[in-house]
Amino acid sequence: MRTFRTIVTTALVGASVGAVSPSHAEDINNQIQQLDQKVRILERKLEIADENAKAAAEKTPVAKADASGFSFAAPDKSFEIKFRGLIQQDARFWFNDDENPQSDTFLLRRVRPTIEGTVGKNGEFRFTPEFAGSSTTLLDAYTGYKFSDAVRLRAGKFKSPLGLERLQSGSDIRFIERAHPTSLAPNRDVGLQLSGDLVKDVLTYEAGVFNGVVDGGSADSDTSDDKDFVGRLFATPFKTTEIDALRGLGLGIAGSIGKEEGSGTTTGLASYRTPGQVRVFSYLTSTNAADNVLADGDRTRIAPQLTYYYGPLGVIGEYIVSSQEVRKDDQATTLDNDAWQIATTYVLTGEENSFRGINPARPFDLAKGQWGAFELAARYSELNVDDQTFPTYANPNRSVAGIQSWALGLNWYLTRNLRSSLTYENSSFDGGAAKGADREDEEILFARFQVSF
Amino acid sequence: MKHTIKKTLTVLTAALLAVGATAKDITILNVSYDPTREFYDEFNQVFAAKWKAETGENVTIKQSHGGAGKQARAVIDGLQADVVTLALAYDIDAIAEKARLIPKEWQSRLPDNSSPYVSTIVFLVRKGNPKGIKDWGDLVKPGVSVITPNPKTSGGARWNYLAAWAYELGRNGGDQAGAQEFIRKLYKNVPVLDSGARGSTTTFVQRGIGDVFLSWENEAYLAIKEFGDDYEVVFPSVSILAEPPVTVIDKVVDKRGTRAVAEAYLNFLYSEEGQELAAKHFYRPRLASVAAKHKQRFPDINLITIDDVFGGWQEAQATHFNDGGTFDQIYGK
């Protein structure tokens, strides 16, 4: 604009050259001054409009709709609300299920709208109901406050910080169902937790006190006065180094300690399921209260865990041992059940693998000839029930003593938000059938279409 | 267990006492209008030194400046001002009424209607006064370009507007319609509406736009001080007594525990030292002794008051500046 003003002025001065009449020169001079004022006024108006636009932008809430969800936020993000969601539509097909027939079925595995956000920069909240299944349940509901990167307080119902794969989001797990260690880890529990970075990008911690839930269980309240203390340390010791091959290595250890006392209405003990979600182990129960097996004392869990990501390769491994003092009538003991898994995935299309999922470099678009990202997955997993369990605490003809499962998977990430998956999983069992025989293998093909944002 | 609890409480108490013992750094926020920057820059330093000497506490006074109306709205919207020092009482009334952060009778809490210094509206013209502007009547002549901010957002602009209105009422014998037509003509000569007085100074002085700038007296002198001989001040035959008021924001100071320092800060404005600083920055002091000392700097003008001509700020605001008021009628045309 200033250039324009200079050009106009120069042109007019140039045009005045040769003018001989003093009055004519004065007229031209006046015109130049008037034009100069008009240009200055236009410039100033633009300047003010820019200032007003900036001031308005600083106050205008920011609405976003992108791959990470839908949100409204104050310009400085001190207040923000996000709307997120996860919908998984599954199909399950059983093979060779003559002895324990199962119904091939379509089902909604997860239907979870989430509202989360920040209040006053450091406050946070999240609310997630679960609409899949026979009834609506409250999955997550918590509030929190971030004092610093090292100290974050969270209160409410959320994932207890123990099982590695349990802590992985349901939208990011690489097989349709999680592996056996998750059967021994607490799921959602109500309590208080502190978490944060002990060493930024290298060492994180979580420590909390919770009501305490059975293996694999969730609950909204406690049935006893005793509480569980749960803690987890997770290190990525090479993340900040230049050693590319080790930067994605993560090592962790988690544990819990508490007491559980069963009663006539709640045994305080868990059942275990197959990958197809068929219950294959449960403690003895009876209409005669004295014959029920009950939790009766200390419950501890220890869970070493590992992750490794290098380019398109990903590996996770974990082991969990869950120990629980149990009682049946006048007999009591401590039962140690354990489980482990090792799973590896490889992104065929070359994208970076990570604990948080895959972001396809060429999102699905037929018009552009783009197909998204493809990933192969393989897993082996075991669950072992303590030998002392049988026959006093569980019926060996109905409950299995161990499960060994292997699985192969193919994941197709159409976009960051759309995913389709196939998993074939074969599980063999120790015991669990009449006369001490092994239960028939479970062979199942899972399919899933998932939308997450 | 009891021993452990006792020990923990002792440690916590000691920690709290330690924190208390070192909590001598105080920060307060003064939300003010546009032209007071330089005055409060210096005043804050002098007050902080005085407060430190008297109490041993370090006080930092943060400043926020802008059009008075915008500043008042920011406080109403949640800006945590410990004190406000705005251009006119109406904007502080709005803080009392809309946000209920201060009592309605806030203006009676300090002397002189809570206005420790006063000012007026003058004309700043270019050197030699090429358009020969001497009084308000010259502003409506064709070809005269007038710079004044937007009265919707600027307290100073509202004083300008009302001073011009009062001049025409005095001249035409109280004809309100005539005054409105006079103002319409005046604003027809306004090429740019800034949101605050400081923006208008930029428009007139730095961008070289306009023939006359309707300015706070102190702002006019500051322009001359900074840009020397390029400008002249013209005192019109009549102007308006502008009383920029001040108050603590009760709910903020009580929440933040800053009432003592905030009240002392405002009281210091009334002290001889505070009044001298006000005069130094071209605000007319209230204290007679200081006013007499600086008589030369502040010529006597016929100053009308808002109460006498317009029935107070509430009425003036409702008639002229609220949505649909005379300004909207004039500027919309």
Side-chain angles (χ1 to χ4, degrees):
Chain A
M1 188 58 88
R2 287 182 197 284
T3 309
F4 173 69
R5 193 170 75 203
T6 306
I7 291 167
V8 169
T9 307
T10 307
L12 288 169
V13 169
S16 71
V17 172
V20 287
S21 159
S23 63
H24 185 55
E26 194 177 327
D27 284 348
I28 288 172
N29 192 38
N30 285 340
Q31 284 179 23
I32 290 170
Q33 284 185 14
Q34 284 171 13
L35 281 170
D36 177 64
Q37 277 289 297
K38 282 184 178 173
V39 174
R40 285 171 188 266
I41 288 165
L42 284 172
E43 282 180 352
R44 181 60 176 153
K45 281 184 172 174
L46 283 174
E47 201 176 0
I48 291 169
D50 280 350
E51 286 169 7
N52 290 342
K54 277 180 192 162
E58 284 170 10
K59 288 184 177 176
T60 307
V62 180
K64 270 177 64 180
D66 57 26
S68 50
F70 304 90
S71 66
F72 296 102
D76 63 355
K77 295 223 165 182
S78 55
F79 290 85
E80 184 172 25
I81 188 162
K82 292 180 184 171
F83 301 94
R84 304 178 63 189
L86 171 63
I87 300 172
Q88 293 175 340
Q89 300 147 81
D90 285 10
R92 291 178 186 165
F93 303 102
W94 271 265
F95 304 97
N96 303 319
D97 56 341
D98 302 333
E99 292 178 20
N100 299 289
Q102 304 295 331
S103 300
D104 295 344
T105 184
F106 297 106
L107 77 157
L108 290 169
R109 180 68 176 88
R110 293 179 176 89
V111 180
R112 299 175 180 175
T114 291
I115 300 173
E116 64 182 12
T118 54
V119 181
K121 277 191 179 171
N122 295 321
E124 62 164 358
F125 67 90
R126 180 181 171 118
F127 171 76
T128 304
E130 171 66 273
F131 291 112
S134 54
S135 62
T136 301
T137 54
L138 183 61
L139 208 63
D140 290 316
Y142 61 77
T143 56
Y145 192 86
K146 180 184 173 184
F147 293 94
S148 67
D149 287 341
V151 183
R152 291 166 182 258
L153 177 66
R154 180 179 288 182
K157 186 181 180 188
F158 49 93
K159 285 180 181 177
S160 189
L162 195 128
L164 177 68
E165 199 179 14
R166 169 57 68 198
L167 291 171
Q168 191 170 34
S169 168
S171 61
D172 295 331
I173 54 175
R174 303 305 163 79
F175 300 85
I176 302 294
E177 295 295 341
R178 291 182 171 95
H180 295 303
T182 300
S183 298
L184 301 185
N187 193 343
R188 264 87 173 176
D189 203 354
V190 181
L192 281 171
Q193 174 184 285
L194 285 176
S195 66
D197 299 335
L198 289 176
V199 181
K200 189 172 169 53
D201 291 332
V202 173
L203 183 60
T204 62
Y205 77 95
E206 287 125 340
V209 54
F210 297 88
N211 282 334
V213 290
V214 300
D215 292 348
S218 294
D220 293 329
S221 61
D222 207 349
T223 54
S224 68
D225 291 340
D226 298 308
K227 299 291 169 268
D228 276 17
F229 296 89
V230 186
R232 179 173 180 258
L233 281 172
F234 196 83
T236 46
F238 301 100
K239 189 172 179 179
T240 56
T241 71
E242 298 297 318
I243 310 170
D244 285 349
L246 292 177
R247 271 213 292 253
L249 175 66
L251 298 164
I253 181 80
S256 73
I257 184 165
K259 281 181 185 294
E260 187 67 38
E261 305 284 349
S263 67
T265 52
T266 311
T267 65
L269 296 170
S271 300
Y272 301 133
R273 294 173 182 271
T274 67
Q277 304 301 297
V278 177
R279 190 162 64 186
V280 291
F281 174 87
S282 53
Y283 291 95
L284 290 174
T285 56
S286 168
T287 49
N288 178 12
D291 290 337
N292 278 336
V293 180
L294 303 175
D296 187 37
D298 291 346
R299 173 174 58 208
T300 58
R301 300 182 184 99
I302 298 172
Q305 45 205 240
L306 168 150
T307 60
Y308 178 70
Y309 294 98
Y310 183 52
L313 176 69
V315 178
I316 69 168
E318 67 178 321
Y319 170 81
I320 297 182
V321 55
S322 173
S323 303
Q324 172 71 61
E325 290 182 357
V326 299
R327 170 173 62 81
K328 182 191 170 199
D329 200 6
D330 58 352
Q331 300 176 80
T333 190
T334 299
L335 298 178
D336 300 327
N337 301 330
D338 64 17
W340 63 275
Q341 70 150 321
I342 184 81
T344 183
T345 59
Y346 190 85
V347 187
L348 299 171
T349 41
E351 282 85 349
E352 284 280 312
N353 208 329
S354 84
F355 193 67
R356 288 175 177 267
I358 307 298
N359 188 11
R362 293 165 58 81
F364 181 74
D365 187 336
L366 277 182
K368 293 181 182 172
Q370 296 180 181
W371 288 90
F374 291 89
E375 179 187 43
L376 280 179
R379 176 175 77 190
Y380 183 79
S381 174
E382 278 190 16
L383 172 73
N384 300 299
V385 178
D386 194 316
D387 291 343
Q388 296 180 74
T389 307
F390 305 98
T392 310
Y393 304 101
N395 181 349
N397 296 325
R398 299 185 64 179
S399 289
V400 302
I403 312 174
Q404 301 83 39
S405 302
W406 60 266
L408 292 173
L410 174 65
N411 297 313
W412 177 18
Y413 299 89
L414 288 86
T415 69
R416 194 172 149 191
N417 306 104
L418 302 177
R419 173 180 161 188
S420 186
S421 298
L422 278 177
T423 295
Y424 173 81
E425 187 143 24
N426 180 294
S427 298
S428 54
F429 305 95
D430 299 330
K435 300 177 183 175
D438 292 339
R439 182 185 173 95
E440 177 187 48
D441 284 5
E442 179 184 84
E443 296 175 58
I444 184 167
L445 179 68
F446 300 91
R448 168 170 294 167
F449 188 73
Q450 168 180 304
V451 178
S452 64
F453 56 86
Chain B
M1 185 58 132
K2 278 184 180 172
H3 184 66
T4 310
I5 292 171
K6 198 172 165 188
K7 218 170 155 183
T8 306
L9 285 174
T10 307
V11 170
L12 280 174
T13 309
L16 286 171
L17 286 173
V19 169
T22 55
K24 287 184 176 176
D25 291 345
I26 309 168
T27 300
I28 62 172
L29 174 63
N30 175 6
V31 172
S32 195
Y33 61 110
D34 250 346
T36 56
R37 283 182 176 82
E38 293 76 11
F39 166 48
Y40 280 112
D41 273 346
E42 185 171 1
F43 179 84
N44 291 346
Q45 287 178 29
V46 174
F47 173 75
K50 177 179 174 293
W51 186 256
K52 171 83 173 171
E54 286 177 0
T55 67
E57 294 176 344
N58 298 312
V59 61
T60 303
I61 300 107
K62 290 188 175 172
Q63 294 174 229
S64 169
H65 297 272
K70 279 170 75 174
Q71 293 292 80
R73 274 198 294 279
V75 174
I76 291 166
D77 290 343
L79 180 62
Q80 295 289 288
D82 297 272
V83 301
V84 290
T85 55
L86 294 178
L88 44 89
Y90 177 80
D91 289 326
I92 302 183
D93 282 342
I95 294 171
E97 286 165 15
K98 292 180 182 166
R100 298 179 190 278
L101 297 173
I102 52 176
K104 280 187 177 174
E105 60 280 9
W106 63 271
Q107 202 166 6
S108 61
R109 297 192 295 188
L110 287 169
D112 300 319
N113 286 330
S114 292
S115 298
Y117 42 80
V118 296
S119 189
T120 189
I121 301 302
V122 300
F123 300 164
L124 189 68
V125 297
R126 301 196 185 282
K127 182 70 181 170
N129 195 0
K131 294 284 171 84
I133 295 161
K134 291 176 183 164
D135 211 345
W136 295 96
D138 298 320
L139 305 183
V140 300
K141 289 178 179 168
V144 173
S145 181
V146 182
I147 302 303
T148 180
N150 186 344
K152 289 281 199 179
T153 53
S154 162
R158 275 174 269 180
W159 290 112
N160 297 345
Y161 182 105
L162 295 175
W165 191 289
Y167 161 82
E168 181 60 12
L169 275 187
R171 196 192 63 78
N172 68 22
D175 175 8
Q176 295 285 353
Q180 183 163 335
E181 178 58 18
F182 178 80
I183 292 291
R184 190 189 66 76
K185 285 182 183 168
L186 192 157
Y187 274 88
K188 205 175 169 187
N189 285 348
V190 177
V192 177
L193 275 185
D194 287 280
S195 63
R198 187 52 55 94
S200 284
T201 306
T202 301
T203 297
F204 185 73
V205 174
Q206 294 179 321
R207 302 291 181 265
I209 298 170
D211 302 307
V212 55
F213 171 31
L214 310 189
S215 169
W216 288 100
E217 185 177 35
N218 71 298
E219 190 79 349
Y221 278 117
L222 277 178
I224 287 176
K225 192 177 167 188
E226 191 168 343
F227 297 98
D229 293 339
D230 293 342
Y231 305 95
E232 292 176 9
V233 173
V234 171
F235 290 90
S237 61
V238 62
S239 192
I240 197 159
L241 179 67
E243 296 181 300
V246 301
T247 185
V248 297
I249 302 297
D250 297 69
K251 286 201 175 166
V252 175
V253 295
D254 288 340
K255 187 175 82 180
R256 300 187 63 234
T258 53
R259 178 177 283 279
V261 65
E263 287 181 346
Y265 178 72
L266 296 186
N267 285 328
F268 188 55
L269 286 167
Y270 289 88
S271 70
E272 189 163 347
E273 201 174 355
Q275 294 280 291
E276 279 289 354
L277 284 169
K280 181 182 172 184
H281 289 273
F282 308 104
Y283 286 97
R284 296 184 177 218
R286 290 281 204 182
L287 199 62
S289 58
V290 179
K293 208 169 144 187
H294 295 278
K295 196 171 168 45
Q296 295 280 48
R297 174 173 279 189
F298 302 110
D300 282 337
I301 328 175
N302 178 18
L303 295 178
I304 60 101
T305 70
I306 202 88
D307 290 342
D308 290 346
V309 180
F310 298 97
W313 263 113
Q314 291 293 337
E315 200 173 323
Q317 177 74 27
T319 305
H320 297 285
F321 307 119
N322 280 355
D323 289 345
T326 56
F327 177 72
D328 282 347
Q329 295 164 29
I330 287 163
Y331 207 70
K333 282 184 182 175

